[in-house]
Amino acid sequence: MEWSPSGALVFMDHPPPTGSKAELWIEDFGTLPIQIMRTGEYFCGVEFTNPARHRDRLLDWLRQESLVGGPAAAVR
């Protein structure tokens, strides 16, 4: 998974169609409401439905992950 301030690129088999609304579950964080913005054969680009609402909590989680070397530590 790659991050941006308002979304992410998620790698998966059989991504949902563009325009779909869903929830992205992140281990040790929880869920974020998303909308599928782009799809490819093995990925989808998602937009966080309300990024401002989750921004501070998500940034805190990413900082913690980088300190402990968790999976998100490699994300730029």
Side-chain angles (χ1 to χ4, degrees), residues 23-76:
E23 288 186 335
L24 175 65
W25 177 79
I26 303 170
E27 187 172 352
D28 296 327
F29 178 79
T31 59
L32 291 169
I34 60 169
Q35 180 170 354
I36 309 302
M37 302 305 288
R38 294 176 188 79
T39 59
E41 189 172 351
Y42 295 106
F43 71 90
C44 61
V46 304
E47 178 181 76
F48 303 136
T49 303
N50 188 350
R53 180 176 175 199
H54 303 284
R55 179 179 42 237
D56 292 338
R57 190 169 138 245
L58 184 56
L59 287 173
D60 288 343
W61 176 78
L62 287 168
R63 284 186 197 106
Q64 184 64 32
E65 284 289 297
S66 68
L67 291 174
V68 299
V75 177
R76 299 175 190 212

